[in-house]
């Protein structure tokens, strides 16, 4: 079953990828922080301003917190996000020599970084196996019968157990694409879905 789902998602969304714009590891790290409870589209309008005015880690570390808050305000929770970006930039310089860590333990020690962000960094920047348990991944994994929990860490573990390491990142991007195009949160378009899932089968027999 899981192999069929993986292959079908790859067929349906061959160009599925991270929706956040970035050209450096730390920029993806900070864009992901801004994306918490905010749309990727909104973040992609804010990061050009942020990185245009503060083009290096050093510039971000030295930035005035008030100006950072002003730039990221539209992403919501702007005070905490601005604080995390500034402190994280400082830590990356002082502790990691300006390099984004390549392992889960060190990533999780950075301000504002949880497992979802850490896995995204590991998968996108370092090409490591990674399950990015975002809202789409959690929702679709449950509907597809791949897990029975809304806990992100438990979803991550469940999917790691069944998705081959070299397919994990692409699988997660495929879930996001399918969640945005077909398997909506409130009213999934089961009739237009090419995946088989328990919910769809129940609707078929109603």
């Amino acid at each position: 079953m899981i192999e069929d789902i993986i292959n079908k998602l790859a067929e349906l969304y061959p160009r599925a990828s991270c929706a956040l714009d970035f050209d450096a590891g730390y920029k993806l790290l900070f864009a992901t922080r801004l994306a918490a409870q905010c749309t990727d589209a909104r973040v992609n309008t804010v990061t050009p301003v942020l990185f245009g005015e503060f083009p290096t880690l050093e510039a971000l570390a030295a930035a005035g917190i008030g100006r950072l808050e002003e730039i990221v305000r539209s992403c919501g929770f702007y005070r905490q996000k601005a604080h995390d970006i500034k402190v994280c930039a400082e830590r990356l310089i002082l502790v990691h020599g300006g390099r984004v860590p390549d392992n889960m333990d060190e990533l999780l020690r950075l301000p504002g970084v949880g497992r979802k962000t850490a896995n995204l960094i590991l998968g996108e920047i370092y090409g490591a196996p990674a399950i990015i348990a975002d809202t789409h991944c959690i929702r679709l994994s449950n509907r597809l019968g791949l897990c029975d929990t809304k806990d992100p860490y438990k979803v991550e573990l469940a999917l790691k157990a069944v998705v081959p390491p070299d397919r994990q990142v692409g699988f997660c991007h495929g879930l996001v694409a399918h969640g945005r195009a077909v398997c909506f949160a409130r009213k999934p378009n089961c009739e237009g879905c090419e995946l088989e899932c328990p919910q769809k089968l129940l609707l078929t027999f109603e």
Side-chain angles (χ1 to χ4, degrees):
M1 176 184 176
I2 184 63
E3 184 177 354
D4 292 339
I5 294 172
I6 294 171
N7 290 336
K8 177 56 71 172
L9 286 172
E11 175 188 328
L12 292 172
Y13 310 103
R15 291 182 292 277
S17 60
C18 179
L20 295 169
D21 296 334
F22 67 96
D23 58 13
Y26 77 88
K27 292 182 179 180
L28 177 59
L29 185 68
F30 297 155
T32 307
R33 180 67 188 96
L34 293 176
Q37 296 181 282
C38 179
T39 66
D40 292 344
R42 167 60 65 182
V43 173
N44 286 338
T45 68
V46 170
T47 49
V49 179
L50 177 65
F51 299 135
E53 186 165 334
F54 304 104
T56 64
L57 272 175
E58 289 76 14
L60 285 165
I65 192 66
R67 180 54 182 155
L68 289 179
E69 290 178 354
E70 182 180 353
I71 292 174
V72 307
R73 178 184 290 267
S74 64
C75 293
F77 303 96
Y78 64 94
R79 289 192 176 92
Q80 188 61 53
K81 291 180 179 181
H83 169 271
D84 288 346
I85 288 172
K86 180 177 174 64
V87 175
C88 191
E90 294 170 351
R91 184 175 180 87
L92 288 176
I93 293 168
L94 294 174
V95 179
H96 301 286
R99 183 173 181 270
V100 177
D102 61 0
N103 64 85
M104 179 66 72
D105 289 343
E106 291 184 338
L107 283 166
L108 292 178
R109 294 191 186 103
L110 297 173
V113 175
R115 291 191 67 87
K116 182 183 76 173
T117 298
N119 274 306
L120 183 63
I121 293 295
L122 293 175
E124 287 291 323
I125 303 303
Y126 295 108
I131 295 295
I132 303 104
D134 72 346
T135 181
H136 298 288
C137 177
I138 294 170
R139 182 175 76 254
L140 270 68
S141 295
N142 277 269
R143 286 178 176 172
L144 289 167
L146 301 176
C147 61
D148 185 20
T149 176
K150 301 298 177 61
D151 181 277
Y153 183 55
K154 291 181 180 179
V155 172
E156 178 188 337
L157 294 180
L159 294 181
K160 278 188 174 181
V162 296
V163 181
D166 63 333
R167 306 293 298 274
Q168 289 178 3
V169 175
F171 173 71
C172 290
H173 289 325
L175 288 179
V176 171
H178 196 64
R180 288 173 172 168
V182 178
C183 196
F184 311 116
R186 293 186 178 179
K187 189 177 180 181
N189 178 19
C190 292
E191 291 184 358
C193 180
E194 296 188 43
L195 302 179
E196 294 296 336
C197 73
Q199 177 169 324
K200 184 177 178 181
L201 290 173
L202 285 174
L203 290 174
T204 301
F205 287 104
E206 285 182 354

